[in-house]
Amino acid sequence: MVLDSPGPGAGLRDEELPEPEPGAGQLRVRVEACGVCRTDLHVLDGELPDPKLPLVLGHQIVGVVDAAGEEVDLARGERVGVPWLGWTCGECGFCLSGRENLCDRALFTGYQLDGGYAEAAVADARFCFRIPESYPPQQAAPLLCAGLIGFRALRLAGDAERVGLYGFGASAHVIAQVARWQGRRVFAFTREGDADGQEFARSLGAEWAGASGDASPEPLDAAIIFAPAGELVPAALRVVEKGGVVVCAGIHMSDIPSFPYDLLWGERVLRSVANLTRADGEEFLALAPRVPVQTSVQPFGLTEANDALARLRAGTIRGAAVLVP
Ligand SMILES: [Zn+2]
Ligand SMILES: [Zn+2]
């Protein structure tokens, strides 16, 4: 499924492409499932600069290795995951200090590299993960970004006990389970009137669920914002306790409205989370089966990608949308 030209109203086109051939250090996977992420909508809408074009979207790829270039130690037949972080330079200050997620020259899957809205994809083997055996492909796909970025955001929330999650989509439905398992308390904030989303959040361990404009039943120690709406930043600052952290977990957000300094005062911290490191991926994929994280997925055929994206935009996906070629 190919994106030719991003912008408002853009869609993907079904095209038969030549089989991608892995170069040195790369492998080719036969795609079994590819998660649909909000970032895909931002690329589609032209909100992220300079995508590769034409482009195959998709950065939560689960598939089986069917060919490998030189210098690859993953065997054919092995099931791997291909995440958002597709390549880093390995030599800049960020790479050398364990922060490859911030590498200036990083290349991202389904954005600057062709991704997994396809039957086959090629990836740099060093950035692929082994998929835990207990996860079937469709259930594993949302772990690769929704889970992984959510996990990084949760870690950056520190040892917060009371955690608010704004936007209860693919990420929050994974991370609520991890947070509960770690002994934290979860409060879910959804779109106004989304009774189904609130019920879903409670079923995954949220002790309270309400609308994003609602007052929290008690002050929170941290809030993670998954929805791309800037007005949630002052709303979240308003519900966190002194010393609390507000983490913006999305790659793109509408402008943040101005707010009184009082909301930040009291050593509240406002920060973003960018991308992932390979260490995050290894840590999270080892932890997920121990929780065990269970993902709710809504499968779509590969050529139904536009439909899946529209449903994600409308907020009518319960859990995560996954394309299944
Ligand atoms: Zn670098
Ligand atoms: Zn993503």
Side-chain angles (χ1 to χ4, degrees), residues 108-133:
F108 299 104
T109 310
Y111 177 29
Q112 288 130 340
L113 304 166
D114 278 335
Y117 285 22
E119 291 167 322
V122 158
D124 186 320
R126 297 169 302 165
F127 292 83
C128 297
F129 301 116
R130 286 192 172 81
I131 296 294
E133 275 172 18

Side-chain angles (χ1 to χ4, degrees), residues 29-50:
V29 296
R30 206 43 57 193
V31 179
E32 297 176 293
C34 182
V36 177
C37 177
R38 179 158 293 280
T39 298
D40 302 340
L41 281 179
H42 295 314
V43 177
L44 185 73
D45 293 346
E47 289 167 331
L48 302 184
D50 306 321

Side-chain angles (χ1 to χ4, degrees), residues 104-191:
D104 286 329
R105 292 163 57 203
L107 298 174
F108 299 104
T109 310
Y111 177 29
Q112 288 130 340
L113 304 166
D114 278 335
Y117 285 22
E119 291 167 322
V122 158
D124 186 320
R126 297 169 302 165
F127 292 83
C128 297
F129 301 116
R130 286 192 172 81
I131 296 294
E133 275 172 18
S134 50
Y135 286 90
Q138 292 182 35
Q139 273 65 37
L143 299 177
L144 288 165
C145 180
L148 244 158
I149 301 282
F151 178 65
R152 187 172 174 88
L154 183 65
R155 197 170 49 205
L156 293 178
D159 57 5
E161 187 197 346
R162 298 165 297 185
V163 179
L165 303 177
Y166 282 80
F168 207 85
S171 255
H173 103 284
V174 169
I175 247 41
Q177 299 174 55
V178 177
R180 291 291 300 126
W181 180 75
Q182 292 174 332
R184 305 179 196 247
R185 299 167 58 199
V186 173
F187 299 74
F189 297 81
T190 71
R191 294 183 201 210

Side-chain angles (χ1 to χ4, degrees), residues 88-96 100 102-106:
T88 55
C89 78
E91 56 193 27
C92 72
F94 294 112
C95 282
L96 293 175
E100 64 182 359
L102 302 179
C103 174
D104 286 329
R105 292 163 57 203

